[in-house]
Amino acid sequence: MRVLSGIQPTARFHWGNYFGAIRQYIDLQTEDEAYYFIADLHALTTVRDADKLRQNTFDAAVDLLALGLNPEHAVMFVQSHVPEVTQLCWLLMTGTPMGLLERCTAFKDKKAHGLTADAGLFTYPVLMAADILLYDADVVPVGKDQVQHIEVCRDLAGSFNHEFGETFVLPKAKILESTAKVPGTDGEKMSKSYNNTLEVFEPLGQLKKKIMRITTDSRPMEDAKEPESDHLFQLYSLMADDSQREEMAAMYRRGGFGYGEVKKALLGVATDYFAEARERREALVAKPEQVQDILADGASRARKKAGEVLARAETACGLRG
RNA sequence: AGGGGCGUAGCUCAAUUGGCAGAGCGCUGGUCUCCAAAACCAGAGGUUGCGAGUUCGAUUCCCGCCGCCCCUGCCA
C-alpha cells in the first residue's frame, strides 16, 4: 500500500487545514509507504510572486515537519524537485478529452467567480493525475471536494492502460471524514477565502487578539447555553482533553459565566496543544539547511520511483524502445 | 486578426474645461461590552495597468505596449 498526498503552499496552515486534513495525513505516514509533497507547481497557478512562493514552500515544509511529519517514515518532497511529473503530465494531456476538464467544478467555480482562467488552471487536474500516477499510489486521502479530481485521474489512467497496455496503478480516494467541524472566527467554515482563519503557528499575541474577536451571540452571561451548537465550544473541543471538555460543557449548561472566559480557555488549550510543534518549528527555522537536506533527500527518493514509472509509461506509448 | 468598451485604495466605484487623487464597504486602533456584535470616535492604506509624449501642470489629451470583457471574422 502506498499513500500519497500533496498540499498547496498558498498560505500558512490554519486550524481548518490541520484538523481537517494535515493531522490525518500525518497519521497515515506509518502505512507501508507514504509520499507527501508540497505542491508548488499547483501553487504557481495562484501565487504569482517569486519571493512569496519560495517563502511559502519553505514554511510549508517546516510546518509539516514541526507538526509531526517524519521523513524517516514518509518521503517528503517539493513537487517541482521531481521534473518527471511535468513530463508525465504531457503524456497524459495528449489523451485528455477537453470535456472532462470543462466538467470539473473547481475550474467552473473559479471561472464563475470571474477569475481569469489560464491554461494552467484548466489542466490542473491532469497535473494532479500525474502527481498521483507517477508514484504508483494506491490510496489518496482527500477531502470530498477533491474526489472528482481523483475520478479524473482514474479515467486518464484507465484510458492510457487501455490504449497502451497496463501501465498505471489506479488509485483509490480515501475520503477524509470531516470528523470535526472547524468554524472560523465568524462562525462560518474556516477558510482562507472567508478571511476567518486562525493559523497553527500564529504569533501568540496575534492569536489572542483574533480569538478575543471571535463573533458570539448577544445572550447575557446568566443564560444557560447548549455547548454543542456554539462554535467557541467546537473549537475548544478540538484541542481540549476529555475532562476539560466535560467541565466546559457543564459550565455552558449551568450558565452564569461568559464568552470572555471561554475565549481565554480556548487560547489556553490552543497554546498547549501546539506548544511542542511550536518548539520544533523554532528549532527547524534555526537550521534551514537541515530542512533543505530533508527535502533534497525526499526529492531523490521520490525521483527514483518517478523515474521507474515514467520510463514504463514512455516505453508503453512508444517514446522509448 | 479587425471594431468597440474597460483598467484609480483589499473590493465596488467617483474626480467639473487639464488644476492639491476621494467616497462607501472592508481593514487597524479606541470607547462600550463578560468577550464579541451593533453604535460612536480616530487612523492606516495609492508608481491612477506599464512606457513614452504634449503641457507650467496629465487619472483626464496624443502614441505604443500589456491585461480583461463584448461584437465580427480568420485558421485548424
Side-chain angles (χ1 to χ4, degrees), chain A residues 52-270:
Chain A
K52 188 171 279 181
L53 184 57
R54 252 187 291 276
Q55 185 64 44
N56 284 358
T57 303
F58 177 77
D59 281 334
V62 171
D63 289 356
L64 289 172
L65 291 168
L67 288 169
L69 205 157
N70 184 343
E72 305 284 322
H73 288 142
V75 180
M76 173 182 169
F77 60 100
V78 174
Q79 184 186 26
S80 66
H81 293 179
V82 183
E84 286 83 355
V85 75
T86 56
Q87 296 176 258
L88 180 60
C89 184
W90 178 259
L91 298 196
L92 295 171
M93 217 157 2
T94 53
T96 303
M98 296 288 281
L100 192 64
L101 301 180
E102 280 160 1
R103 255 177 278 132
C104 288
T105 52
F107 172 73
K108 285 199 294 189
D109 283 355
K110 288 209 177 171
K111 236 188 142 186
H113 280 80
L115 295 181
T116 327
D118 62 22
L121 181 66
F122 185 63
T123 56
Y124 175 113
V126 185
L127 180 58
M128 181 164 161
D131 287 327
I132 296 165
L133 300 176
L134 190 59
Y135 305 101
D136 285 338
D138 302 291
V139 178
V140 184
V142 289
K144 60 180 189 305
D145 59 319
Q146 286 295 321
V147 172
Q148 186 180 37
H149 290 155
I150 305 299
E151 291 302 321
V152 170
C153 176
R154 291 171 59 88
D155 285 353
L156 298 182
S159 50
F160 190 99
N161 285 352
H162 181 71
E163 266 187 297
F164 299 117
E166 283 305 309
T167 305
F168 296 120
V169 173
L170 292 201
K172 277 197 278 290
K174 180 191 177 81
I175 301 169
L176 295 175
E177 305 297 330
S178 42
T179 46
K181 184 189 170 195
V182 184
T185 53
D186 56 359
E188 299 301 313
K189 179 182 192 282
M190 190 180 289
S191 161
K192 191 197 168 208
S193 49
Y194 295 163
N195 198 26
N196 64 357
T197 61
L198 297 161
E199 289 170 12
V200 172
F201 294 108
E202 192 124 26
L204 291 176
Q206 197 177 308
L207 181 63
K208 181 179 182 181
K209 277 190 198 169
K210 280 194 179 180
I211 287 178
M212 293 313 281
R213 270 164 38 204
I214 289 175
T215 310
T216 66
D217 60 49
S218 303
R219 287 182 294 176
M221 274 177 72
E222 298 73 37
D223 284 18
K225 302 168 187 77
E226 201 43 45
E228 283 76 16
S229 61
D230 183 64
H231 51 269
L232 276 177
F233 183 78
Q234 289 162 2
L235 289 172
Y236 184 80
S237 298
L238 292 172
M239 291 170 280
D241 61 37
D242 290 346
S243 65
Q244 287 173 314
R245 191 179 306 115
E246 291 302 315
E247 205 174 317
M248 182 61 79
M251 298 274 274
Y252 266 78
R253 296 201 179 87
R254 192 179 308 132
F257 90 118
Y259 292 117
E261 290 302 313
V262 185
K263 289 178 178 181
K264 283 176 195 162
L266 174 60
L267 178 64
V269 292

Side-chain angles (χ1 to χ4, degrees), chain A residues 82 84 134 302-312 320:
Chain A
V82 183
E84 286 83 355
L134 190 59
R303 284 195 79 174
K304 186 159 178 292
K305 181 66 188 170
E308 289 169 24
V309 177
L310 181 64
R312 203 195 313 146
R320 55 163 94 186

Side-chain angles (χ1 to χ4, degrees), chain A residues 1-4 22-36 68-75 141:
Chain A
M1 282 277 281
R2 183 175 296 114
V3 180
L4 173 138
I22 295 171
R23 186 175 60 171
Q24 281 98 313
Y25 295 165
I26 289 173
D27 287 344
L28 290 170
Q29 70 185 346
T30 47
E31 299 287 320
D32 292 334
E33 277 187 81
Y35 281 64
Y36 295 119
L69 205 157
N70 184 343
E72 305 284 322
H73 288 142
V75 180

